[in-house]
Amino acid sequence: AQKVTQAQTEISVVEKEDVTLDCVYETRDTTYYLFWYKQPPSGELVFLIRRNSFDEQNEISGRYSWNFQKSTSSFNFTITASQVVDSAVYFCALSEFTGNQFYFGTGTSLTVIP
Amino acid sequence: EAGVTQSPTHLIKTRGQQVTLRCSPISGHTSVYWYQQALGLGLQFLLWYDEGEERNRGNFPPRFSGRQFPNYSSELNVNALELEDSALYLCASSLRTYGGNQPQHFGDGTRLSIL
């Protein structure tokens, strides 16, 4: 079974629209970490955020915000007022305290149309 | 601060050949990870090295191997190349991780094409 599911394969939005990227994870650990990465067309994955399982406080960084809900095992990512530069593939990842690897989702390809 | 560096950037090989990919982690990082990203697929975990030892290995055949040197740089070796090995190979590094708490920082990758 997939430990990290990103059900949205591709999303297209018009510039300035808001968009939410979904991430659902599965783990039996009580301590775990969740991450979001951005992979622009150039290829390099860029680390965006880390959350630990004990901190459900939502976080906002500029136009980016993250909604972590343990009750639904979700860690969704919202981009407000999207821009063309936001076009990329976004990956959600899980790391378990008792594990020894990252589990990446299959990614969501976001295209922002000018 | 220099990021994760990988070499070469691009590589073209033929079936049956062998290839070595190289990775230098961010200064201070002791863990190195290797991933395969084939076209249209997500990141497939290959190997994790820390302090010179292999800590974990993904579901890949033994012809995928690697090592980590005392300076924490790493090599990924692939023997008997097959067409399906064509992919972007990503290296990442992190500080020593305790229970998976450290984010991984990625290099630009090596694009390997098998003809």
Side-chain angles (χ1 to χ4, degrees), chain A residues 4-67:
Chain A
V4 178
T5 301
Q6 294 180 256
Q8 304 151 308
T9 306
E10 296 181 1
I11 300 176
S12 291
V13 297
V14 177
E15 201 170 20
K16 297 184 183 177
E17 285 184 347
D18 299 347
V19 59
T20 295
L21 310 181
D22 298 333
C23 174
V24 174
Y25 62 92
E26 179 183 329
T27 181
R28 293 182 179 181
D29 280 25
T30 55
T31 302
Y32 53 90
Y33 302 88
L34 296 163
F35 304 81
W36 274 96
Y37 285 83
K38 173 183 180 179
Q39 187 178 34
S42 58
E44 179 183 352
L45 272 86
V46 177
F47 164 65
L48 296 177
I49 191 172
R50 174 189 62 186
R51 303 297 286 173
N52 72 59
S53 54
F54 297 107
D55 184 2
E56 287 194 71
Q57 199 169 21
N58 291 330
E59 182 158 339
I60 298 175
S61 176
R63 296 184 297 107
Y64 293 172
S65 63
W66 290 269
N67 183 359

